[in-house]
Amino acid sequence: MRKFIIRLFIVILVLSGSMGYVFVNHATSASSCTIASLSAQVGNSTLSYSQVGNGRSILLLHGLFASKEQWNTIMCRLSEMGYRAIAPDLPGYGNSNGFTLRDYALENQTTLLNELMEKLGIKSFDLAGSSMGGAIAQLYAQRFPNQVRSLAFIGSPLGIVDWANSVKEAIFQGINPFIPITKEQFALEISLLFFTPPTIPDSVIAEKVNDYITRNRHYQQVWDIINLYDDILCQGVPTQFPTFIIWGKEDKIYDISGANRLQECIAGSQAIQLPKAGHLLLMENADEVASKYVGFLQTARGR
């Protein structure tokens, strides 16, 4: 029964990305967790974010064409372990609205996130990101080092290695697996993101694909911007924070070899290579990831 609940939860979260799906998280296992859905004015725009728990604050950043709901299970686990977890829909994603195309630049994302944290009155926090969110987290830590207690890459990040061969092969065939415009392309995307792909109803796939077709120009523009950051993580000022890296050994988006390179670029970082795990560790391996991440946070508590 628990496996069924987890797989159903994954399906719901997959659908929460670019369609602005409204999701209220209830029990994800035996214990209950109520996540508040909030919003804040950032400039002339509205930034949506989730929040749960009390204690030391952790800011969680999602990946490309995704949303804050992907963090829900991990947020519940963190709150159970005495932390306050905050996950925004990054500017321009999910339910955050009113942002311009220029706001998708990763440097501008960090500026807007900094404004959010100031509005929330949070002066010091742990910072974690998944995929594109990992690159944003690194840039944030470099720009605002006095605010960050620790840095974590939950799953492989953008900006350290090139696309894996599975992604390149799709692109060579004229398919962008992150902007699927057919049912078959959508299935390819899911197979690349998950170690064990969830089953998604045809009606939901059709709605999702239609969104990619209807707003195709927008998705392509954002994709072009993000690809300007394909080698960003080893550049700039070296990160001087306790740093945690956890990477799926079966990741089909960024090859596991990138974990070693990232660890070399960030001196003293702690790296875990997770077996039988793909790209979206924050969803498919949430319980194990949360446990290992909290273990890291406890060792980094002194900062």
Side-chain angles (χ1 to χ4, degrees):
M1 179 66 178
R2 184 173 182 273
K3 288 184 178 180
F4 170 77
I5 293 173
I6 291 173
R7 288 179 65 82
L8 177 61
F9 186 64
I10 287 174
V11 170
I12 293 172
L13 292 181
V14 169
L15 309 180
S16 68
S18 55
M19 294 195 304
Y21 186 95
V22 178
F23 178 79
V24 178
N25 185 41
H26 297 293
T28 56
S29 63
S31 61
S32 63
C33 171
T34 301
I35 297 177
S37 182
L38 305 166
S39 64
Q41 289 300 118
V42 177
N44 296 320
S45 305
T46 301
L47 200 151
S48 175
Y49 65 98
S50 297
Q51 180 175 288
V52 66
N54 298 289
R56 176 167 161 162
S57 295
I58 302 174
L59 180 63
L60 303 166
L61 308 180
H62 65 72
L64 179 66
F65 301 148
S67 69
K68 61 186 182 300
E69 284 81 12
Q70 290 190 342
W71 291 105
N72 278 6
T73 298
I74 286 183
M75 291 183 74
C76 287
R77 298 297 169 264
L78 291 175
S79 70
E80 291 167 2
M81 298 174 190
Y83 295 90
R84 174 190 184 188
I86 301 165
D89 277 330
L90 291 171
Y93 296 86
N95 292 322
S96 292
N97 57 69
F99 296 94
T100 69
L101 192 61
R102 187 172 293 275
D103 291 326
Y104 287 93
L106 301 194
E107 297 88 351
N108 295 338
Q109 294 270 321
T110 66
T111 299
L112 294 164
L113 287 169
N114 176 250
E115 186 174 340
L116 172 67
M117 299 310 278
E118 288 183 350
K119 282 184 175 290
L120 297 182
I122 301 174
K123 301 183 182 301
S124 180
F125 53 91
D126 298 285
L127 181 57
S130 168
S131 199
M132 178 192 71
I136 296 173
Q138 168 82 323
L139 289 175
Y140 192 105
Q142 290 177 342
R143 293 191 64 195
F144 307 103
N146 293 332
Q147 299 176 15
V148 178
R149 284 191 298 252
S150 71
L151 179 65
F153 299 94
I154 307 299
S156 61
L158 165 76
I160 189 67
V161 290
D162 201 359
W163 300 113
N165 289 336
S166 50
V167 176
K168 291 180 181 178
E169 181 58 32
I171 291 174
F172 285 140
Q173 294 178 18
I175 299 169
N176 185 331
F178 303 105
I179 311 176
I181 56 174
T182 67
K183 178 181 177 180
E184 292 73 22
Q185 290 180 15
F186 184 87
L188 172 62
E189 178 186 25
I190 297 301
S191 72
L192 294 177
L193 291 173
F194 291 93
F195 176 70
T196 304
T199 301
I200 303 174
D202 286 344
S203 60
V204 174
I205 294 174
E207 185 176 358
K208 189 73 172 172
V209 168
N210 182 64
D211 179 63
Y212 282 120
I213 294 172
T214 303
R215 299 199 295 150
N216 193 264
R217 176 60 176 163
H218 169 76
Y219 285 117
Q220 292 291 344
Q221 288 172 325
V222 175
W223 167 264
D224 290 342
I225 291 171
I226 300 309
N227 272 280
L228 297 175
Y229 300 89
D230 60 350
D231 193 28
I232 194 70
L233 292 189
C234 286
Q235 300 176 14
V237 179
T239 301
Q240 301 295 324
F241 312 96
T243 301
F244 176 73
I245 303 164
I246 185 165
W247 198 305
K249 283 190 174 182
E250 308 302 326
D251 194 319
K252 298 176 184 177
I253 304 299
Y254 298 116
D255 186 78
I256 186 62
S257 61
N260 293 329
R261 181 166 186 246
L262 183 57
Q263 190 173 22
E264 290 172 0
C265 288
I266 303 178
S269 57
Q270 173 187 336
I272 295 174
Q273 297 186 12
L274 202 62
K276 297 183 179 180
H279 186 64
L280 290 180
L281 302 185
L282 73 167
M283 296 172 66
E284 198 171 8
N285 309 88
D287 287 335
E288 185 173 7
V289 167
S291 177
K292 293 183 183 301
Y293 180 41
V294 168
F296 159 77
L297 289 174
Q298 291 172 346
T299 64
R301 188 181 296 275
R303 178 176 168 78

